[in-house]
Amino acid sequence: MVGITSYGAYIPKYRLARDVIAKAWGPRFISGERAVANYDEDSLTMATEAALNCLQGRDPKSVDGLIFASTTSPYLEKQASTLVATAADLPAEIFTADQLSSLRAGTAALKSAMDAVKGGSSKNILITAADSRRAEPGSDSEQLIGDGAAAVMVGSTGVAASIEGTYSVSEEFLDAWRKQDDAFLQKGDSAFIQTYGYARIVQNCVEGILKKYEMKTGDISKFIFSAPDSRIYARLAKTLHLPPGSFMEDPLLTTVGDTGAAGPLMLLVAVLEKAQPGERILLCSYGAGNSDAFLLQVTPEAERLRERQGVSFYQNIKRPLTNYEKFLKFQNTLPHEPLAPFSSWALLWKEQKQNLRLYGTRCKKCGTFAFPRRRVCQKCHAKDEYEEAKLPRQGKVYTFAKDHLFPSPDPPTVMAVTDMDGGGRFYGQLTDGDPNQVKIGMPVELTFRRFHQGDGFYNYFWKLRPRE
Amino acid sequence: MSIKDRVAIIGVGTTKFGENFEMTYQDMALEAVYEAYQDAGLETKDMDAAWLGTLSPGLTGLEGDAGASLAEPLNFYPRPVTRVSAYCCSGMEAIRNAAFGVASGEYKLVLAVGVEKMREVPPRGSLVARHIHETHPLLSKGRTAPGIFAPIATRYFHQYGYTKETLAKVAVKNHYNGSLNPKAHFRSPITEEAALKAPMVVDPLGLFDCCPTTDGAAAAILTTPEFAQELKKDYILIKGMGLAVTHGYFSMAFQEDNDFLGFKSTREAAAMAYRQAGIKDPRKEIDVAEVHDCFTITELVNYEDLGFCGRGEGGRLIAEGITALNGELPVNTSGGLKSCGHPVGATGVRMVADVVSQLRGRSGKRQLKKVDIGLTHTLGGPGSIACVFVLGRP
């Protein structure tokens, strides 16, 4: 049996009420709010968060593949999955790949992972999908889009939802696109694409998989579709004659937004969080004429994953972004000089086990732990007699300061000294928090973020954030 | 063999500290040195060697990167000039090395000079930019100079119950002292209310908790006590010199033994200097002190680290006026870094010049009555290096 053995999700903390956008531009297309990646987040960091949540309680060494799925990878040339895998402390001897440029990239990754596990070339493949698309200010897409990530582990032991069947449709169709140099999402004629694009192709794919496996609508407990817009989503459910309760009334659109390539997997995670053993799920993605459908069946193992940090966990963790201009700055829509201090890949390459994987040293003679790493023990002076040991990711603030000098789109920059639970100390930026709420003793945890563009590349490192 | 009483200071000089837009790095070095020459009644041809303290040559076209930046304006050729750098201890470190040059017997007369040109660029382009742009790409990224000391204030308040009002008292004292010092950058007294109302720089440190960005240079001439006597100068003796390096640069805030309530470097350097000078009770034995008040909180923890009071009592010392100009142990009678400004390489030498002036009774309106033993202290980088001198009259 091959299927989903674990899952996790991530939704950035900032939420922008659509009213705030409407206040700047006029009509509101959809109610509620959308999730907004903080200025130090991108698809790579969000995918890392989701991956870490998916890995919770699992040995990273058991993973032998990682696929990153997105339409907004930070680099056009430079694979993102390698860095996600490194930050997640997966072994170096694994297969990694990026599945890019399609809104069904997440399900494309799911399909290839399933095939690899079925074929026996891999045992456990982690798929992590994230998107953070930009729309032109004032466009309806600006309101519809949201940022988020989801991760699923595909394997054959401890399967919580088995994959019983798949079906795909691939038809050349152009409804939404971004060319190499387009800053914003482009869209075709809405009446045309609604009728001949999404609705028709998803319908074909759903009917196709049901027919292939000789099933009827009534055999499925939950239908999950990509949902680029609440109206056409509702219309599709009607066309398919889905009974009420067999699909999500609000596919995260009023709380998170359309999370692009991450969308189908985020919805899958949201459904799995509540699914009962025996239930059948039909998952169907859509991206520019392509659609992948999966038939899944929930097993009793699903109960084991209930406590995971998934969609419902993050839906409750939010901080309102009340300022539209700040949103534009977070999105990099407002032009500004990027922060590009000294950096050197030659330096960072040497230090990646420390800076990306968070390993310090533990003296073999006296047990003293050091982060950053020390070749000579701080206590007993033993030289090069250490073992590598991980810095814990959670701790409590020992002291802090709020810096108004350090350049940031979200000042002040809170710098916190943190004693980690289980030993070690970390000093760094505290993100996602209200500077006025920071206190000595406050529980915090490390989160992987984009730091700056020193030496012309994206520098990633860990920051602290309030622990929920 | 101790360094005590083996080296004499026979001349000091200081430029005006401030935004010296009209002077180059070399102009300032020259002005400070010639004032010291005048004080000692000597000239370049009498000197055997020199040490130059500068932190950041990058702020002014790499001037100060090597001893040549001092040799050139003085026409000091071909004698040895050594550039030293030890964060904010660079100036005192220049003097310390110069003193060893004399004590070794190799040189009879040496120059120790500190110079820093910081205002060729806007204040945010100076040390602020250095912290932001030139440090490790990731570790401690987000830390600025006030950001090093602000978390100490946060912890200090938390631990002992002090508030920003205590910090303001340090600013008020040092601004008052600076108002009496013709060479200080800031020469206006301020009120506690004004200090408390000032905008935040790195919360909880506001504008008046921070020293300014300043140009300046200072010089000292060192020789043996025997030769000083020969010259019949009212010389001053070095009684003790301690330099302690206790942490690294990026990693100091990661150290679990760092309590953020003071600096081990200061405690270690003070212990060295006190041992050499034979100081047992610093509060009683020291008559005047110039300490590193880069930020108001630093002065408070310095009181404790230097043994002027117990841990946690620094706030009480300032509140009770002990360290005021008319107090029992006046601290920063020059106005400190807070009012004089902090041209990094120059600061330690400027402190020595100020304490030497107090010991010789030449401090004008700021002159204290009884001054036999003085102390200077600089604290560098994230607090990982400290230098402490004890100076005294023969």
Side-chain angles (χ1 to χ4, degrees), chain A residues 3 7 29 32 68 89 145 164 166 181 193 220 233 267 306 333 339 357 367 370 375 387 400 436 448 454 458:
Chain A
Y7 56 78
F29 296 94
F68 166 72
D89 198 22
I145 286 173
E164 303 289 330
T166 65
D181 298 325
I193 63 178
I220 306 296
Y233 171 79
L267 296 173
R306 292 280 186 246
T333 306
L339 180 64
R357 294 181 185 267
R375 289 183 57 191
E387 55 192 5
F400 64 96
N436 296 317
F448 197 61
Y458 292 125

PDB file of all heavy atoms in Angstrom, chain A residues 3 7 29 32 68 89 145 164 166 181 193 220 233 267 306 333 339 357 367 370 375 387 400 436 448 454 458:
ATOM      1  N   GLY A   3       0.928   5.521  -0.046  1.00  0.00           N
ATOM      2  CA  GLY A   3       0.061   6.668   0.209  1.00  0.00           C
ATOM      3  C   GLY A   3       0.732   7.709   1.085  1.00  0.00           C
ATOM      4  O   GLY A   3       1.962   7.730   1.215  1.00  0.00           O
ATOM      5  N   TYR A   7       1.858  14.475   7.170  1.00  0.00           N
ATOM      6  CA  TYR A   7       1.582  15.746   6.494  1.00  0.00           C
ATOM      7  C   TYR A   7       1.880  16.911   7.424  1.00  0.00           C
ATOM      8  O   TYR A   7       2.034  16.749   8.650  1.00  0.00           O
ATOM      9  CB  TYR A   7       0.141  15.818   5.988  1.00  0.00           C
ATOM     10  CG  TYR A   7      -0.919  15.603   7.062  1.00  0.00           C
ATOM     11  CD1 TYR A   7      -1.261  16.618   7.962  1.00  0.00           C
ATOM     12  CD2 TYR A   7      -1.573  14.373   7.180  1.00  0.00           C
ATOM     13  CE1 TYR A   7      -2.211  16.421   8.945  1.00  0.00           C
ATOM     14  CE2 TYR A   7      -2.533  14.166   8.159  1.00  0.00           C
ATOM     15  CZ  TYR A   7      -2.845  15.180   9.039  1.00  0.00           C
ATOM     16  OH  TYR A   7      -3.781  14.982  10.015  1.00  0.00           O
ATOM     17  N   PHE A  29     -13.750  41.879  -4.103  1.00  0.00           N
ATOM     18  CA  PHE A  29     -14.198  40.736  -4.889  1.00  0.00           C
ATOM     19  C   PHE A  29     -14.581  39.560  -4.022  1.00  0.00           C
ATOM     20  O   PHE A  29     -15.316  38.686  -4.443  1.00  0.00           O
ATOM     21  CB  PHE A  29     -13.096  40.299  -5.867  1.00  0.00           C
ATOM     22  CG  PHE A  29     -12.770  41.343  -6.890  1.00  0.00           C
ATOM     23  CD1 PHE A  29     -11.743  42.243  -6.700  1.00  0.00           C
ATOM     24  CD2 PHE A  29     -13.537  41.444  -8.045  1.00  0.00           C
ATOM     25  CE1 PHE A  29     -11.457  43.205  -7.638  1.00  0.00           C
ATOM     26  CE2 PHE A  29     -13.259  42.415  -8.991  1.00  0.00           C
ATOM     27  CZ  PHE A  29     -12.216  43.306  -8.790  1.00  0.00           C
ATOM     28  N   GLY A  32     -13.550  38.353   3.680  1.00  0.00           N
ATOM     29  CA  GLY A  32     -12.531  37.727   4.516  1.00  0.00           C
ATOM     30  C   GLY A  32     -11.156  38.334   4.350  1.00  0.00           C
ATOM     31  O   GLY A  32     -10.996  39.514   4.061  1.00  0.00           O
ATOM     32  N   PHE A  68      10.243  19.837  -4.140  1.00  0.00           N
ATOM     33  CA  PHE A  68       9.687  21.164  -3.849  1.00  0.00           C
ATOM     34  C   PHE A  68       8.813  21.550  -5.035  1.00  0.00           C
ATOM     35  O   PHE A  68       9.250  21.471  -6.181  1.00  0.00           O
ATOM     36  CB  PHE A  68      10.836  22.150  -3.664  1.00  0.00           C
ATOM     37  CG  PHE A  68      10.443  23.604  -3.687  1.00  0.00           C
ATOM     38  CD1 PHE A  68       9.742  24.178  -2.633  1.00  0.00           C
ATOM     39  CD2 PHE A  68      10.786  24.417  -4.771  1.00  0.00           C
ATOM     40  CE1 PHE A  68       9.402  25.529  -2.650  1.00  0.00           C
ATOM     41  CE2 PHE A  68      10.458  25.766  -4.797  1.00  0.00           C
ATOM     42  CZ  PHE A  68       9.754  26.321  -3.733  1.00  0.00           C
ATOM     43  N   ASP A  89      17.436  19.257   7.559  1.00  0.00           N
ATOM     44  CA  ASP A  89      18.441  18.315   8.032  1.00  0.00           C
ATOM     45  C   ASP A  89      18.228  16.908   7.482  1.00  0.00           C
ATOM     46  O   ASP A  89      18.441  15.916   8.171  1.00  0.00           O
ATOM     47  CB  ASP A  89      18.488  18.306   9.576  1.00  0.00           C
ATOM     48  CG  ASP A  89      19.777  17.695  10.101  1.00  0.00           C
ATOM     49  OD1 ASP A  89      20.771  17.680   9.348  1.00  0.00           O
ATOM     50  OD2 ASP A  89      19.777  17.230  11.260  1.00  0.00           O
ATOM     51  N   ILE A 145      -5.476  35.885  -4.294  1.00  0.00           N
ATOM     52  CA  ILE A 145      -4.265  35.116  -3.994  1.00  0.00           C
ATOM     53  C   ILE A 145      -3.973  35.133  -2.491  1.00  0.00           C
ATOM     54  O   ILE A 145      -4.258  36.105  -1.799  1.00  0.00           O
ATOM     55  CB  ILE A 145      -3.067  35.714  -4.777  1.00  0.00           C
ATOM     56  CG1 ILE A 145      -3.185  35.337  -6.252  1.00  0.00           C
ATOM     57  CG2 ILE A 145      -1.732  35.257  -4.214  1.00  0.00           C
ATOM     58  CD1 ILE A 145      -2.147  36.007  -7.128  1.00  0.00           C
ATOM     59  N   GLU A 164      -5.388   5.100  -4.095  1.00  0.00           N
ATOM     60  CA  GLU A 164      -6.018   3.940  -4.737  1.00  0.00           C
ATOM     61  C   GLU A 164      -6.035   4.060  -6.246  1.00  0.00           C
ATOM     62  O   GLU A 164      -6.208   3.071  -6.949  1.00  0.00           O
ATOM     63  CB  GLU A 164      -7.457   3.788  -4.209  1.00  0.00           C
ATOM     64  CG  GLU A 164      -7.557   3.649  -2.688  1.00  0.00           C
ATOM     65  CD  GLU A 164      -7.047   2.295  -2.201  1.00  0.00           C
ATOM     66  OE1 GLU A 164      -7.158   1.314  -2.961  1.00  0.00           O
ATOM     67  OE2 GLU A 164      -6.506   2.228  -1.077  1.00  0.00           O
ATOM     68  N   THR A 166      -5.208   6.994  -9.882  1.00  0.00           N
ATOM     69  CA  THR A 166      -4.896   8.325 -10.399  1.00  0.00           C
ATOM     70  C   THR A 166      -5.420   8.466 -11.818  1.00  0.00           C
ATOM     71  O   THR A 166      -5.681   7.465 -12.506  1.00  0.00           O
ATOM     72  CB  THR A 166      -3.373   8.562 -10.446  1.00  0.00           C
ATOM     73  OG1 THR A 166      -2.794   7.655 -11.388  1.00  0.00           O
ATOM     74  CG2 THR A 166      -2.728   8.383  -9.088  1.00  0.00           C
ATOM     75  N   ASP A 181       9.801  37.622 -17.553  1.00  0.00           N
ATOM     76  CA  ASP A 181      10.030  38.917 -16.920  1.00  0.00           C
ATOM     77  C   ASP A 181       8.771  39.563 -16.354  1.00  0.00           C
ATOM     78  O   ASP A 181       8.808  40.716 -15.950  1.00  0.00           O
ATOM     79  CB  ASP A 181      10.699  39.877 -17.918  1.00  0.00           C
ATOM     80  CG  ASP A 181      12.065  39.346 -18.341  1.00  0.00           C
ATOM     81  OD1 ASP A 181      12.736  38.742 -17.488  1.00  0.00           O
ATOM     82  OD2 ASP A 181      12.420  39.516 -19.519  1.00  0.00           O
ATOM     83  N   ILE A 193     -12.305  31.546 -20.096  1.00  0.00           N
ATOM     84  CA  ILE A 193     -11.525  30.565 -19.330  1.00  0.00           C
ATOM     85  C   ILE A 193     -12.373  29.858 -18.276  1.00  0.00           C
ATOM     86  O   ILE A 193     -12.124  28.711 -17.943  1.00  0.00           O
ATOM     87  CB  ILE A 193     -10.239  31.169 -18.704  1.00  0.00           C
ATOM     88  CG1 ILE A 193     -10.536  32.252 -17.692  1.00  0.00           C
ATOM     89  CG2 ILE A 193      -9.313  31.699 -19.788  1.00  0.00           C
ATOM     90  CD1 ILE A 193      -9.285  32.824 -17.035  1.00  0.00           C
ATOM     91  N   ILE A 220     -17.738   8.752  -2.868  1.00  0.00           N
ATOM     92  CA  ILE A 220     -16.666   9.631  -2.377  1.00  0.00           C
ATOM     93  C   ILE A 220     -17.167  10.438  -1.178  1.00  0.00           C
ATOM     94  O   ILE A 220     -18.232  11.067  -1.244  1.00  0.00           O
ATOM     95  CB  ILE A 220     -16.201  10.599  -3.490  1.00  0.00           C
ATOM     96  CG1 ILE A 220     -15.803   9.837  -4.766  1.00  0.00           C
ATOM     97  CG2 ILE A 220     -15.075  11.517  -2.994  1.00  0.00           C
ATOM     98  CD1 ILE A 220     -14.611   8.919  -4.640  1.00  0.00           C
ATOM     99  N   TYR A 233     -15.686  27.875  -8.307  1.00  0.00           N
ATOM    100  CA  TYR A 233     -15.564  26.655  -7.507  1.00  0.00           C
ATOM    101  C   TYR A 233     -16.968  26.132  -7.164  1.00  0.00           C
ATOM    102  O   TYR A 233     -17.274  24.961  -7.318  1.00  0.00           O
ATOM    103  CB  TYR A 233     -14.760  26.958  -6.244  1.00  0.00           C
ATOM    104  CG  TYR A 233     -14.720  25.866  -5.215  1.00  0.00           C
ATOM    105  CD1 TYR A 233     -13.861  24.787  -5.371  1.00  0.00           C
ATOM    106  CD2 TYR A 233     -15.525  25.909  -4.078  1.00  0.00           C
ATOM    107  CE1 TYR A 233     -13.804  23.770  -4.424  1.00  0.00           C
ATOM    108  CE2 TYR A 233     -15.478  24.904  -3.123  1.00  0.00           C
ATOM    109  CZ  TYR A 233     -14.615  23.842  -3.294  1.00  0.00           C
ATOM    110  OH  TYR A 233     -14.562  22.849  -2.354  1.00  0.00           O
ATOM    111  N   LEU A 267      -5.435  21.867   0.865  1.00  0.00           N
ATOM    112  CA  LEU A 267      -6.807  21.400   1.055  1.00  0.00           C
ATOM    113  C   LEU A 267      -6.821  19.933   1.481  1.00  0.00           C
ATOM    114  O   LEU A 267      -7.608  19.521   2.329  1.00  0.00           O
ATOM    115  CB  LEU A 267      -7.612  21.605  -0.234  1.00  0.00           C
ATOM    116  CG  LEU A 267      -7.797  23.077  -0.654  1.00  0.00           C
ATOM    117  CD1 LEU A 267      -8.443  23.163  -2.024  1.00  0.00           C
ATOM    118  CD2 LEU A 267      -8.632  23.832   0.373  1.00  0.00           C
ATOM    119  N   ARG A 306      -3.108  13.376  14.089  1.00  0.00           N
ATOM    120  CA  ARG A 306      -4.030  14.449  14.479  1.00  0.00           C
ATOM    121  C   ARG A 306      -3.337  15.686  15.075  1.00  0.00           C
ATOM    122  O   ARG A 306      -3.759  16.794  14.846  1.00  0.00           O
ATOM    123  CB  ARG A 306      -5.043  13.939  15.511  1.00  0.00           C
ATOM    124  CG  ARG A 306      -6.014  12.941  14.958  1.00  0.00           C
ATOM    125  CD  ARG A 306      -7.144  13.585  14.178  1.00  0.00           C
ATOM    126  NE  ARG A 306      -8.116  12.571  13.800  1.00  0.00           N
ATOM    127  CZ  ARG A 306      -8.357  12.201  12.541  1.00  0.00           C
ATOM    128  NH1 ARG A 306      -7.723  12.779  11.534  1.00  0.00           N
ATOM    129  NH2 ARG A 306      -9.233  11.271  12.272  1.00  0.00           N
ATOM    130  N   THR A 333       6.631  44.934  -4.083  1.00  0.00           N
ATOM    131  CA  THR A 333       5.990  45.673  -5.178  1.00  0.00           C
ATOM    132  C   THR A 333       6.471  47.117  -5.171  1.00  0.00           C
ATOM    133  O   THR A 333       6.625  47.732  -6.217  1.00  0.00           O
ATOM    134  CB  THR A 333       4.455  45.615  -5.039  1.00  0.00           C
ATOM    135  OG1 THR A 333       4.084  44.248  -4.945  1.00  0.00           O
ATOM    136  CG2 THR A 333       3.768  46.247  -6.222  1.00  0.00           C
ATOM    137  N   LEU A 339      18.643  44.887   0.831  1.00  0.00           N
ATOM    138  CA  LEU A 339      19.757  44.841   1.784  1.00  0.00           C
ATOM    139  C   LEU A 339      20.769  43.819   1.250  1.00  0.00           C
ATOM    140  O   LEU A 339      20.429  42.665   1.021  1.00  0.00           O
ATOM    141  CB  LEU A 339      19.233  44.437   3.162  1.00  0.00           C
ATOM    142  CG  LEU A 339      20.260  44.327   4.285  1.00  0.00           C
ATOM    143  CD1 LEU A 339      20.894  45.678   4.575  1.00  0.00           C
ATOM    144  CD2 LEU A 339      19.608  43.771   5.549  1.00  0.00           C
ATOM    145  N   ARG A 357      21.858  23.602   9.076  1.00  0.00           N
ATOM    146  CA  ARG A 357      21.370  22.421   9.783  1.00  0.00           C
ATOM    147  C   ARG A 357      21.347  22.606  11.298  1.00  0.00           C
ATOM    148  O   ARG A 357      20.870  21.756  12.031  1.00  0.00           O
ATOM    149  CB  ARG A 357      22.240  21.208   9.432  1.00  0.00           C
ATOM    150  CG  ARG A 357      22.118  20.782   7.966  1.00  0.00           C
ATOM    151  CD  ARG A 357      22.982  19.567   7.684  1.00  0.00           C
ATOM    152  NE  ARG A 357      22.975  19.213   6.275  1.00  0.00           N
ATOM    153  CZ  ARG A 357      22.128  18.320   5.736  1.00  0.00           C
ATOM    154  NH1 ARG A 357      21.274  17.690   6.505  1.00  0.00           N
ATOM    155  NH2 ARG A 357      22.169  18.059   4.447  1.00  0.00           N
ATOM    156  N   GLY A 367      31.430  17.291  27.898  1.00  0.00           N
ATOM    157  CA  GLY A 367      30.011  17.421  27.573  1.00  0.00           C
ATOM    158  C   GLY A 367      29.536  18.834  27.308  1.00  0.00           C
ATOM    159  O   GLY A 367      28.350  19.045  27.072  1.00  0.00           O
ATOM    160  N   ALA A 370      28.419  23.840  22.486  1.00  0.00           N
ATOM    161  CA  ALA A 370      28.704  25.179  21.960  1.00  0.00           C
ATOM    162  C   ALA A 370      28.013  25.396  20.630  1.00  0.00           C
ATOM    163  O   ALA A 370      28.065  24.548  19.739  1.00  0.00           O
ATOM    164  CB  ALA A 370      30.210  25.365  21.787  1.00  0.00           C
ATOM    165  N   ARG A 375      36.087  24.355  18.057  1.00  0.00           N
ATOM    166  CA  ARG A 375      37.012  23.218  17.933  1.00  0.00           C
ATOM    167  C   ARG A 375      37.735  22.986  19.254  1.00  0.00           C
ATOM    168  O   ARG A 375      38.050  21.854  19.606  1.00  0.00           O
ATOM    169  CB  ARG A 375      38.010  23.473  16.806  1.00  0.00           C
ATOM    170  CG  ARG A 375      37.353  23.382  15.441  1.00  0.00           C
ATOM    171  CD  ARG A 375      38.354  23.561  14.322  1.00  0.00           C
ATOM    172  NE  ARG A 375      39.431  22.593  14.397  1.00  0.00           N
ATOM    173  CZ  ARG A 375      40.535  22.661  13.662  1.00  0.00           C
ATOM    174  NH1 ARG A 375      40.693  23.655  12.799  1.00  0.00           N
ATOM    175  NH2 ARG A 375      41.477  21.763  13.780  1.00  0.00           N
ATOM    176  N   GLU A 387      31.655  15.975  19.301  1.00  0.00           N
ATOM    177  CA  GLU A 387      30.711  15.393  18.355  1.00  0.00           C
ATOM    178  C   GLU A 387      29.741  16.488  17.970  1.00  0.00           C
ATOM    179  O   GLU A 387      29.520  17.423  18.747  1.00  0.00           O
ATOM    180  CB  GLU A 387      29.984  14.194  18.981  1.00  0.00           C
ATOM    181  CG  GLU A 387      29.292  14.528  20.289  1.00  0.00           C
ATOM    182  CD  GLU A 387      28.830  13.287  21.046  1.00  0.00           C
ATOM    183  OE1 GLU A 387      29.128  12.180  20.603  1.00  0.00           O
ATOM    184  OE2 GLU A 387      28.165  13.462  22.072  1.00  0.00           O
ATOM    185  N   PHE A 400      16.457  41.143  25.298  1.00  0.00           N
ATOM    186  CA  PHE A 400      16.148  41.559  23.932  1.00  0.00           C
ATOM    187  C   PHE A 400      16.292  43.071  23.797  1.00  0.00           C
ATOM    188  O   PHE A 400      16.462  43.789  24.786  1.00  0.00           O
ATOM    189  CB  PHE A 400      14.714  41.152  23.551  1.00  0.00           C
ATOM    190  CG  PHE A 400      13.666  41.836  24.382  1.00  0.00           C
ATOM    191  CD1 PHE A 400      13.039  42.998  23.923  1.00  0.00           C
ATOM    192  CD2 PHE A 400      13.316  41.361  25.636  1.00  0.00           C
ATOM    193  CE1 PHE A 400      12.096  43.651  24.696  1.00  0.00           C
ATOM    194  CE2 PHE A 400      12.373  42.007  26.419  1.00  0.00           C
ATOM    195  CZ  PHE A 400      11.762  43.163  25.956  1.00  0.00           C
ATOM    196  N   ASN A 436       5.840  45.098  20.814  1.00  0.00           N
ATOM    197  CA  ASN A 436       5.370  45.523  22.133  1.00  0.00           C
ATOM    198  C   ASN A 436       5.043  44.346  23.061  1.00  0.00           C
ATOM    199  O   ASN A 436       4.872  44.531  24.255  1.00  0.00           O
ATOM    200  CB  ASN A 436       4.138  46.420  22.005  1.00  0.00           C
ATOM    201  CG  ASN A 436       4.479  47.700  21.290  1.00  0.00           C
ATOM    202  OD1 ASN A 436       5.516  48.311  21.548  1.00  0.00           O
ATOM    203  ND2 ASN A 436       3.626  48.097  20.356  1.00  0.00           N
ATOM    204  N   PHE A 448      12.968  29.298   9.699  1.00  0.00           N
ATOM    205  CA  PHE A 448      13.920  29.508   8.604  1.00  0.00           C
ATOM    206  C   PHE A 448      13.453  30.685   7.741  1.00  0.00           C
ATOM    207  O   PHE A 448      12.321  30.685   7.271  1.00  0.00           O
ATOM    208  CB  PHE A 448      14.002  28.225   7.776  1.00  0.00           C
ATOM    209  CG  PHE A 448      15.210  28.158   6.881  1.00  0.00           C
ATOM    210  CD1 PHE A 448      16.489  28.185   7.413  1.00  0.00           C
ATOM    211  CD2 PHE A 448      15.062  28.046   5.512  1.00  0.00           C
ATOM    212  CE1 PHE A 448      17.602  28.106   6.591  1.00  0.00           C
ATOM    213  CE2 PHE A 448      16.171  27.962   4.683  1.00  0.00           C
ATOM    214  CZ  PHE A 448      17.436  27.997   5.224  1.00  0.00           C
ATOM    215  N   GLY A 454      23.080  39.579   0.173  1.00  0.00           N
ATOM    216  CA  GLY A 454      24.525  39.792   0.160  1.00  0.00           C
ATOM    217  C   GLY A 454      25.204  38.958  -0.917  1.00  0.00           C
ATOM    218  O   GLY A 454      24.851  37.802  -1.127  1.00  0.00           O
ATOM    219  N   TYR A 458      20.461  34.988  -2.539  1.00  0.00           N
ATOM    220  CA  TYR A 458      19.616  35.030  -1.347  1.00  0.00           C
ATOM    221  C   TYR A 458      20.326  34.310  -0.202  1.00  0.00           C
ATOM    222  O   TYR A 458      20.720  33.158  -0.346  1.00  0.00           O
ATOM    223  CB  TYR A 458      18.262  34.353  -1.604  1.00  0.00           C
ATOM    224  CG  TYR A 458      17.388  35.097  -2.568  1.00  0.00           C
ATOM    225  CD1 TYR A 458      16.870  34.470  -3.696  1.00  0.00           C
ATOM    226  CD2 TYR A 458      17.058  36.432  -2.356  1.00  0.00           C
ATOM    227  CE1 TYR A 458      16.055  35.146  -4.591  1.00  0.00           C
ATOM    228  CE2 TYR A 458      16.242  37.116  -3.234  1.00  0.00           C
ATOM    229  CZ  TYR A 458      15.750  36.473  -4.355  1.00  0.00           C
ATOM    230  OH  TYR A 458      14.946  37.150  -5.230  1.00  0.00           O
TER     231      TYR A 458
END
